[in-house]
Amino acid sequence: GIQVEQSPPDLILQEGANSTLRCNFSDSVNNLQWFHQNPWGQLINLFYIPSGTKQNGRLSATTVATERYSLLYISSSQTTDSGVYFCAYYNYGQNFVFGPGTRLSVLP
Amino acid sequence: SAVISQKPSRDICQRGTSLTIQCQVDSQVTMMFWYRQQPGQSLTLIATANQGSEATYESGFVIDKFPISRPNLTFSTLTVSNMSPEDSSIYLCSVEDQLAGPYEQYFGPGTRLTVT
């Protein structure tokens, strides 16, 4: 199957800092999504982004499908941004395959 | 987007017992998915549940250990049978909400299971 790598695995930021999370794929993927899992375990959809760039408030995402990567940008980070960020691609077995995640801690 | 609820939200169970987790969606969906997330790990798909047919299990997961029911288009259950401490995980159900957008998947709040 397609391998998914996320970097960095762990990230500690001071509140207000910016960060970039990366997701690499070993082959072309379709229908990429970014999720945030908050400290209580709830998974929240951030972006459905098969290609191009999207922005939602302080977060934005870019997928370059031809180069097999996606980036998630977090600007002016807040403590509520803490948690684990997953990218996932759509497997045409009709389920999503998740990357290993980036664990983000934002310190006040 | 679809609103998904799960019961129980958490449980502590004895080794050798079974627990049934319920997943309820506020709209009709064709496919529901069950995932397991072991402590500190990513999500792994257990099975896909279609209404009116047998669930399809991923490699490493078997029906005897994780029986699934899907009686209608808004509800599913996952049973974790003959539990051992290795089954301690978060179990999440999800649906593909095609009204929200193609291939967009939404998750329930999860069931946090601890086996002692």
Side-chain angles (χ1 to χ4, degrees), chain A residues 54-82:
Chain A
K54 287 187 178 178
Q55 179 150 11
N56 184 3
R58 296 181 296 104
L59 273 60
S60 64
T62 295
T63 296
V64 184
T66 53
E67 297 190 16
R68 305 195 298 271
Y69 73 87
S70 184
L71 302 174
L72 178 69
Y73 305 96
I74 304 174
S75 64
S76 304
S77 58
Q78 301 176 358
T79 56
T80 52
D81 295 330
S82 296

PDB file of all heavy atoms in Angstrom, chain A residues 54-82:
ATOM      1  N   LYS A  54      -6.269  25.864   0.517  1.00  0.00           N
ATOM      2  CA  LYS A  54      -7.472  26.322   1.186  1.00  0.00           C
ATOM      3  C   LYS A  54      -7.071  27.018   2.475  1.00  0.00           C
ATOM      4  O   LYS A  54      -6.053  26.671   3.082  1.00  0.00           O
ATOM      5  CB  LYS A  54      -8.408  25.150   1.512  1.00  0.00           C
ATOM      6  CG  LYS A  54      -9.121  24.555   0.330  1.00  0.00           C
ATOM      7  CD  LYS A  54     -10.147  23.534   0.803  1.00  0.00           C
ATOM      8  CE  LYS A  54     -10.906  22.947  -0.378  1.00  0.00           C
ATOM      9  NZ  LYS A  54     -11.885  21.914   0.076  1.00  0.00           N
ATOM     10  N   GLN A  55      -7.892  27.956   2.887  1.00  0.00           N
ATOM     11  CA  GLN A  55      -7.634  28.652   4.147  1.00  0.00           C
ATOM     12  C   GLN A  55      -8.907  28.692   4.965  1.00  0.00           C
ATOM     13  O   GLN A  55     -10.014  28.846   4.440  1.00  0.00           O
ATOM     14  CB  GLN A  55      -7.138  30.077   3.887  1.00  0.00           C
ATOM     15  CG  GLN A  55      -6.883  30.872   5.153  1.00  0.00           C
ATOM     16  CD  GLN A  55      -5.785  31.892   4.993  1.00  0.00           C
ATOM     17  OE1 GLN A  55      -5.325  32.159   3.888  1.00  0.00           O
ATOM     18  NE2 GLN A  55      -5.354  32.473   6.095  1.00  0.00           N
ATOM     19  N   ASN A  56      -8.726  28.550   6.285  1.00  0.00           N
ATOM     20  CA  ASN A  56      -9.839  28.673   7.215  1.00  0.00           C
ATOM     21  C   ASN A  56      -9.296  29.327   8.481  1.00  0.00           C
ATOM     22  O   ASN A  56      -8.703  28.679   9.331  1.00  0.00           O
ATOM     23  CB  ASN A  56     -10.441  27.308   7.529  1.00  0.00           C
ATOM     24  CG  ASN A  56     -11.659  27.424   8.428  1.00  0.00           C
ATOM     25  OD1 ASN A  56     -12.097  28.522   8.770  1.00  0.00           O
ATOM     26  ND2 ASN A  56     -12.222  26.297   8.804  1.00  0.00           N
ATOM     27  N   GLY A  57      -9.476  30.646   8.561  1.00  0.00           N
ATOM     28  CA  GLY A  57      -8.976  31.376   9.715  1.00  0.00           C
ATOM     29  C   GLY A  57      -7.461  31.341   9.787  1.00  0.00           C
ATOM     30  O   GLY A  57      -6.769  31.689   8.836  1.00  0.00           O
ATOM     31  N   ARG A  58      -6.956  30.862  10.926  1.00  0.00           N
ATOM     32  CA  ARG A  58      -5.495  30.808  11.113  1.00  0.00           C
ATOM     33  C   ARG A  58      -4.861  29.581  10.457  1.00  0.00           C
ATOM     34  O   ARG A  58      -3.637  29.441  10.468  1.00  0.00           O
ATOM     35  CB  ARG A  58      -5.186  30.780  12.612  1.00  0.00           C
ATOM     36  CG  ARG A  58      -5.603  32.020  13.382  1.00  0.00           C
ATOM     37  CD  ARG A  58      -5.236  31.913  14.854  1.00  0.00           C
ATOM     38  NE  ARG A  58      -5.964  30.827  15.509  1.00  0.00           N
ATOM     39  CZ  ARG A  58      -5.435  29.671  15.825  1.00  0.00           C
ATOM     40  NH1 ARG A  58      -4.157  29.402  15.560  1.00  0.00           N
ATOM     41  NH2 ARG A  58      -6.164  28.740  16.430  1.00  0.00           N
ATOM     42  N   LEU A  59      -5.670  28.701   9.954  1.00  0.00           N
ATOM     43  CA  LEU A  59      -5.150  27.480   9.338  1.00  0.00           C
ATOM     44  C   LEU A  59      -5.275  27.553   7.821  1.00  0.00           C
ATOM     45  O   LEU A  59      -6.249  28.109   7.297  1.00  0.00           O
ATOM     46  CB  LEU A  59      -5.936  26.259   9.831  1.00  0.00           C
ATOM     47  CG  LEU A  59      -5.486  25.585  11.124  1.00  0.00           C
ATOM     48  CD1 LEU A  59      -5.529  26.529  12.299  1.00  0.00           C
ATOM     49  CD2 LEU A  59      -6.309  24.342  11.393  1.00  0.00           C
ATOM     50  N   SER A  60      -4.282  26.999   7.162  1.00  0.00           N
ATOM     51  CA  SER A  60      -4.377  26.832   5.722  1.00  0.00           C
ATOM     52  C   SER A  60      -3.671  25.537   5.348  1.00  0.00           C
ATOM     53  O   SER A  60      -2.854  25.020   6.107  1.00  0.00           O
ATOM     54  CB  SER A  60      -3.777  28.017   4.963  1.00  0.00           C
ATOM     55  OG  SER A  60      -2.383  28.106   5.208  1.00  0.00           O
ATOM     56  N   ALA A  61      -4.021  25.018   4.182  1.00  0.00           N
ATOM     57  CA  ALA A  61      -3.432  23.770   3.716  1.00  0.00           C
ATOM     58  C   ALA A  61      -3.169  23.868   2.233  1.00  0.00           C
ATOM     59  O   ALA A  61      -3.919  24.519   1.503  1.00  0.00           O
ATOM     60  CB  ALA A  61      -4.336  22.582   4.033  1.00  0.00           C
ATOM     61  N   THR A  62      -2.092  23.213   1.826  1.00  0.00           N
ATOM     62  CA  THR A  62      -1.729  23.146   0.411  1.00  0.00           C
ATOM     63  C   THR A  62      -1.381  21.714   0.081  1.00  0.00           C
ATOM     64  O   THR A  62      -0.607  21.074   0.802  1.00  0.00           O
ATOM     65  CB  THR A  62      -0.513  24.038   0.114  1.00  0.00           C
ATOM     66  OG1 THR A  62      -0.863  25.394   0.340  1.00  0.00           O
ATOM     67  CG2 THR A  62      -0.040  23.850  -1.319  1.00  0.00           C
ATOM     68  N   THR A  63      -1.939  21.215  -1.012  1.00  0.00           N
ATOM     69  CA  THR A  63      -1.582  19.890  -1.513  1.00  0.00           C
ATOM     70  C   THR A  63      -1.011  20.031  -2.918  1.00  0.00           C
ATOM     71  O   THR A  63      -1.645  20.668  -3.778  1.00  0.00           O
ATOM     72  CB  THR A  63      -2.793  18.947  -1.536  1.00  0.00           C
ATOM     73  OG1 THR A  63      -3.244  18.732  -0.188  1.00  0.00           O
ATOM     74  CG2 THR A  63      -2.433  17.611  -2.158  1.00  0.00           C
ATOM     75  N   VAL A  64       0.162  19.462  -3.117  1.00  0.00           N
ATOM     76  CA  VAL A  64       0.765  19.385  -4.457  1.00  0.00           C
ATOM     77  C   VAL A  64       0.745  17.905  -4.831  1.00  0.00           C
ATOM     78  O   VAL A  64       1.679  17.153  -4.525  1.00  0.00           O
ATOM     79  CB  VAL A  64       2.190  19.955  -4.464  1.00  0.00           C
ATOM     80  CG1 VAL A  64       2.744  19.958  -5.897  1.00  0.00           C
ATOM     81  CG2 VAL A  64       2.197  21.365  -3.890  1.00  0.00           C
ATOM     82  N   ALA A  65      -0.327  17.511  -5.485  1.00  0.00           N
ATOM     83  CA  ALA A  65      -0.554  16.089  -5.745  1.00  0.00           C
ATOM     84  C   ALA A  65       0.544  15.496  -6.623  1.00  0.00           C
ATOM     85  O   ALA A  65       0.968  14.356  -6.414  1.00  0.00           O
ATOM     86  CB  ALA A  65      -1.925  15.892  -6.391  1.00  0.00           C
ATOM     87  N   THR A  66       1.035  16.274  -7.590  1.00  0.00           N
ATOM     88  CA  THR A  66       2.043  15.755  -8.520  1.00  0.00           C
ATOM     89  C   THR A  66       3.362  15.463  -7.810  1.00  0.00           C
ATOM     90  O   THR A  66       4.144  14.638  -8.262  1.00  0.00           O
ATOM     91  CB  THR A  66       2.290  16.743  -9.658  1.00  0.00           C
ATOM     92  OG1 THR A  66       2.603  18.020  -9.075  1.00  0.00           O
ATOM     93  CG2 THR A  66       1.066  16.873 -10.543  1.00  0.00           C
ATOM     94  N   GLU A  67       3.605  16.148  -6.694  1.00  0.00           N
ATOM     95  CA  GLU A  67       4.834  15.926  -5.941  1.00  0.00           C
ATOM     96  C   GLU A  67       4.590  15.136  -4.659  1.00  0.00           C
ATOM     97  O   GLU A  67       5.485  14.975  -3.838  1.00  0.00           O
ATOM     98  CB  GLU A  67       5.512  17.264  -5.653  1.00  0.00           C
ATOM     99  CG  GLU A  67       5.931  17.989  -6.931  1.00  0.00           C
ATOM    100  CD  GLU A  67       6.805  19.191  -6.676  1.00  0.00           C
ATOM    101  OE1 GLU A  67       7.348  19.309  -5.565  1.00  0.00           O
ATOM    102  OE2 GLU A  67       6.923  20.012  -7.592  1.00  0.00           O
ATOM    103  N   ARG A  68       3.373  14.684  -4.489  1.00  0.00           N
ATOM    104  CA  ARG A  68       3.014  13.723  -3.437  1.00  0.00           C
ATOM    105  C   ARG A  68       3.238  14.266  -2.026  1.00  0.00           C
ATOM    106  O   ARG A  68       3.792  13.571  -1.157  1.00  0.00           O
ATOM    107  CB  ARG A  68       3.751  12.402  -3.637  1.00  0.00           C
ATOM    108  CG  ARG A  68       3.539  11.797  -5.028  1.00  0.00           C
ATOM    109  CD  ARG A  68       3.967  10.339  -5.061  1.00  0.00           C
ATOM    110  NE  ARG A  68       5.374  10.167  -4.765  1.00  0.00           N
ATOM    111  CZ  ARG A  68       6.332  10.185  -5.672  1.00  0.00           C
ATOM    112  NH1 ARG A  68       6.045  10.407  -6.936  1.00  0.00           N
ATOM    113  NH2 ARG A  68       7.583   9.978  -5.327  1.00  0.00           N
ATOM    114  N   TYR A  69       2.820  15.510  -1.783  1.00  0.00           N
ATOM    115  CA  TYR A  69       2.892  16.018  -0.423  1.00  0.00           C
ATOM    116  C   TYR A  69       1.789  17.023  -0.175  1.00  0.00           C
ATOM    117  O   TYR A  69       1.194  17.578  -1.106  1.00  0.00           O
ATOM    118  CB  TYR A  69       4.265  16.643  -0.118  1.00  0.00           C
ATOM    119  CG  TYR A  69       4.522  17.986  -0.764  1.00  0.00           C
ATOM    120  CD1 TYR A  69       4.129  19.170  -0.147  1.00  0.00           C
ATOM    121  CD2 TYR A  69       5.173  18.071  -1.991  1.00  0.00           C
ATOM    122  CE1 TYR A  69       4.370  20.394  -0.737  1.00  0.00           C
ATOM    123  CE2 TYR A  69       5.425  19.294  -2.589  1.00  0.00           C
ATOM    124  CZ  TYR A  69       5.024  20.452  -1.963  1.00  0.00           C
ATOM    125  OH  TYR A  69       5.266  21.673  -2.552  1.00  0.00           O
ATOM    126  N   SER A  70       1.540  17.224   1.122  1.00  0.00           N
ATOM    127  CA  SER A  70       0.595  18.231   1.559  1.00  0.00           C
ATOM    128  C   SER A  70       1.166  18.928   2.785  1.00  0.00           C
ATOM    129  O   SER A  70       1.890  18.304   3.576  1.00  0.00           O
ATOM    130  CB  SER A  70      -0.765  17.597   1.881  1.00  0.00           C
ATOM    131  OG  SER A  70      -1.716  18.575   2.231  1.00  0.00           O
ATOM    132  N   LEU A  71       0.844  20.197   2.938  1.00  0.00           N
ATOM    133  CA  LEU A  71       1.327  21.000   4.049  1.00  0.00           C
ATOM    134  C   LEU A  71       0.143  21.612   4.789  1.00  0.00           C
ATOM    135  O   LEU A  71      -0.836  22.028   4.170  1.00  0.00           O
ATOM    136  CB  LEU A  71       2.242  22.129   3.557  1.00  0.00           C
ATOM    137  CG  LEU A  71       3.473  21.723   2.750  1.00  0.00           C
ATOM    138  CD1 LEU A  71       4.176  22.964   2.214  1.00  0.00           C
ATOM    139  CD2 LEU A  71       4.423  20.903   3.597  1.00  0.00           C
ATOM    140  N   LEU A  72       0.260  21.653   6.097  1.00  0.00           N
ATOM    141  CA  LEU A  72      -0.725  22.331   6.937  1.00  0.00           C
ATOM    142  C   LEU A  72      -0.004  23.455   7.674  1.00  0.00           C
ATOM    143  O   LEU A  72       0.992  23.209   8.353  1.00  0.00           O
ATOM    144  CB  LEU A  72      -1.354  21.366   7.934  1.00  0.00           C
ATOM    145  CG  LEU A  72      -2.370  21.961   8.906  1.00  0.00           C
ATOM    146  CD1 LEU A  72      -3.645  22.365   8.157  1.00  0.00           C
ATOM    147  CD2 LEU A  72      -2.711  20.974  10.019  1.00  0.00           C
ATOM    148  N   TYR A  73      -0.502  24.675   7.510  1.00  0.00           N
ATOM    149  CA  TYR A  73       0.088  25.838   8.156  1.00  0.00           C
ATOM    150  C   TYR A  73      -0.795  26.276   9.312  1.00  0.00           C
ATOM    151  O   TYR A  73      -2.011  26.405   9.148  1.00  0.00           O
ATOM    152  CB  TYR A  73       0.206  27.015   7.183  1.00  0.00           C
ATOM    153  CG  TYR A  73       0.943  26.732   5.912  1.00  0.00           C
ATOM    154  CD1 TYR A  73       0.254  26.385   4.764  1.00  0.00           C
ATOM    155  CD2 TYR A  73       2.320  26.848   5.840  1.00  0.00           C
ATOM    156  CE1 TYR A  73       0.916  26.144   3.581  1.00  0.00           C
ATOM    157  CE2 TYR A  73       2.995  26.612   4.660  1.00  0.00           C
ATOM    158  CZ  TYR A  73       2.289  26.258   3.524  1.00  0.00           C
ATOM    159  OH  TYR A  73       2.956  26.023   2.357  1.00  0.00           O
ATOM    160  N   ILE A  74      -0.172  26.514  10.448  1.00  0.00           N
ATOM    161  CA  ILE A  74      -0.880  27.061  11.595  1.00  0.00           C
ATOM    162  C   ILE A  74      -0.199  28.376  11.944  1.00  0.00           C
ATOM    163  O   ILE A  74       0.996  28.406  12.245  1.00  0.00           O
ATOM    164  CB  ILE A  74      -0.832  26.113  12.808  1.00  0.00           C
ATOM    165  CG1 ILE A  74      -1.380  24.740  12.432  1.00  0.00           C
ATOM    166  CG2 ILE A  74      -1.626  26.697  13.975  1.00  0.00           C
ATOM    167  CD1 ILE A  74      -1.229  23.698  13.531  1.00  0.00           C
ATOM    168  N   SER A  75      -0.945  29.447  11.889  1.00  0.00           N
ATOM    169  CA  SER A  75      -0.373  30.752  12.231  1.00  0.00           C
ATOM    170  C   SER A  75      -0.913  31.201  13.581  1.00  0.00           C
ATOM    171  O   SER A  75      -2.001  30.819  14.007  1.00  0.00           O
ATOM    172  CB  SER A  75      -0.710  31.784  11.158  1.00  0.00           C
ATOM    173  OG  SER A  75      -2.097  31.997  11.093  1.00  0.00           O
ATOM    174  N   SER A  76      -0.099  32.008  14.259  1.00  0.00           N
ATOM    175  CA  SER A  76      -0.479  32.573  15.562  1.00  0.00           C
ATOM    176  C   SER A  76      -1.091  31.496  16.454  1.00  0.00           C
ATOM    177  O   SER A  76      -2.230  31.615  16.923  1.00  0.00           O
ATOM    178  CB  SER A  76      -1.467  33.722  15.377  1.00  0.00           C
ATOM    179  OG  SER A  76      -0.931  34.717  14.527  1.00  0.00           O
ATOM    180  N   SER A  77      -0.338  30.448  16.697  1.00  0.00           N
ATOM    181  CA  SER A  77      -0.865  29.281  17.394  1.00  0.00           C
ATOM    182  C   SER A  77      -1.426  29.631  18.773  1.00  0.00           C
ATOM    183  O   SER A  77      -0.965  30.566  19.447  1.00  0.00           O
ATOM    184  CB  SER A  77       0.215  28.206  17.530  1.00  0.00           C
ATOM    185  OG  SER A  77       1.332  28.724  18.220  1.00  0.00           O
ATOM    186  N   GLN A  78      -2.434  28.875  19.172  1.00  0.00           N
ATOM    187  CA  GLN A  78      -3.093  29.029  20.470  1.00  0.00           C
ATOM    188  C   GLN A  78      -3.038  27.699  21.208  1.00  0.00           C
ATOM    189  O   GLN A  78      -2.874  26.640  20.584  1.00  0.00           O
ATOM    190  CB  GLN A  78      -4.540  29.469  20.268  1.00  0.00           C
ATOM    191  CG  GLN A  78      -4.673  30.787  19.524  1.00  0.00           C
ATOM    192  CD  GLN A  78      -6.109  31.162  19.238  1.00  0.00           C
ATOM    193  OE1 GLN A  78      -7.037  30.430  19.548  1.00  0.00           O
ATOM    194  NE2 GLN A  78      -6.293  32.333  18.630  1.00  0.00           N
ATOM    195  N   THR A  79      -3.218  27.755  22.511  1.00  0.00           N
ATOM    196  CA  THR A  79      -3.135  26.521  23.299  1.00  0.00           C
ATOM    197  C   THR A  79      -4.186  25.519  22.854  1.00  0.00           C
ATOM    198  O   THR A  79      -3.976  24.308  22.942  1.00  0.00           O
ATOM    199  CB  THR A  79      -3.282  26.811  24.795  1.00  0.00           C
ATOM    200  OG1 THR A  79      -4.503  27.506  25.027  1.00  0.00           O
ATOM    201  CG2 THR A  79      -2.112  27.666  25.318  1.00  0.00           C
ATOM    202  N   THR A  80      -5.304  26.020  22.353  1.00  0.00           N
ATOM    203  CA  THR A  80      -6.363  25.114  21.877  1.00  0.00           C
ATOM    204  C   THR A  80      -5.991  24.386  20.592  1.00  0.00           C
ATOM    205  O   THR A  80      -6.703  23.469  20.173  1.00  0.00           O
ATOM    206  CB  THR A  80      -7.665  25.894  21.647  1.00  0.00           C
ATOM    207  OG1 THR A  80      -7.374  27.024  20.806  1.00  0.00           O
ATOM    208  CG2 THR A  80      -8.244  26.384  22.961  1.00  0.00           C
ATOM    209  N   ASP A  81      -4.892  24.774  19.966  1.00  0.00           N
ATOM    210  CA  ASP A  81      -4.407  24.044  18.788  1.00  0.00           C
ATOM    211  C   ASP A  81      -3.676  22.761  19.180  1.00  0.00           C
ATOM    212  O   ASP A  81      -3.357  21.935  18.317  1.00  0.00           O
ATOM    213  CB  ASP A  81      -3.445  24.913  17.970  1.00  0.00           C
ATOM    214  CG  ASP A  81      -4.122  26.137  17.369  1.00  0.00           C
ATOM    215  OD1 ASP A  81      -5.335  26.067  17.080  1.00  0.00           O
ATOM    216  OD2 ASP A  81      -3.430  27.161  17.201  1.00  0.00           O
ATOM    217  N   SER A  82      -3.410  22.576  20.438  1.00  0.00           N
ATOM    218  CA  SER A  82      -2.695  21.374  20.888  1.00  0.00           C
ATOM    219  C   SER A  82      -3.487  20.120  20.542  1.00  0.00           C
ATOM    220  O   SER A  82      -4.715  20.135  20.464  1.00  0.00           O
ATOM    221  CB  SER A  82      -2.449  21.441  22.394  1.00  0.00           C
ATOM    222  OG  SER A  82      -1.600  22.515  22.726  1.00  0.00           O
TER     223      SER A  82
END
